[in-house]
Amino acid sequence: QVQVAESGGGSVQAGGSLRLSCAASGSIDGFVGIMAWYRQAPGKQRDLVARIIRGGSTNYADSVRGRFTISRGDAENTVYLQMNSLKPEDTSVYYCNAVVFKMGPTNYWGQGTQVSVSS
């Protein structure tokens, strides 16, 4: 079994910063090929925020590009999301996603961490 846990959310004023952390752990039957951050606000779909793959290539949603940075941690199967210049529209629950590859990809999700940005 695989567990994904994220942390680092909180409440900040617009223009502030937060750093989210995520780790995938447990009996990973395969390898973690992709780790990503998604967010879901009330009444909205869960959308991709940033993704990092083996080798370090990254993708970002247009709304966060230039403000957010996804990076791998030194520990295996860890990832961070540095969020700068936060805006009220960034308010959401942020979920960490780990994609384990064996006989095709399997997604594992964290429980979410709340990010609230006030004007």
Side-chain angles (χ1 to χ4, degrees), residues 22-115:
C22 175
S25 61
S27 299
I28 299 176
D29 189 17
F31 67 94
V32 178
I34 301 169
M35 296 191 75
W37 291 95
Y38 289 73
R39 66 186 181 187
Q40 186 172 24
K44 302 287 187 179
Q45 291 187 301
R46 186 173 297 187
D47 294 325
L48 176 68
V49 176
R51 183 179 69 176
I52 188 165
I53 64 174
R54 188 181 183 91
S57 296
T58 58
N59 298 101
Y60 295 93
D62 289 342
S63 59
V64 308
R65 187 176 293 109
R67 299 187 297 118
F68 292 8
T69 303
I70 188 170
S71 60
R72 296 170 297 179
D74 291 334
E76 190 175 9
N77 301 324
T78 61
V79 68
Y80 300 97
L81 185 68
Q82 180 66 47
M83 304 185 294
N84 297 326
S85 302
L86 283 162
K87 303 175 180 180
E89 51 263 44
D90 295 319
T91 296
S92 190
V93 177
Y94 285 71
Y95 297 90
C96 182
N97 168 246
V99 183
V100 176
F101 286 86
K102 182 180 181 180
M103 302 294 289
T106 301
N107 284 281
Y108 297 90
W109 295 91
Q111 79 288 343
T113 185
Q114 177 71 52
V115 171

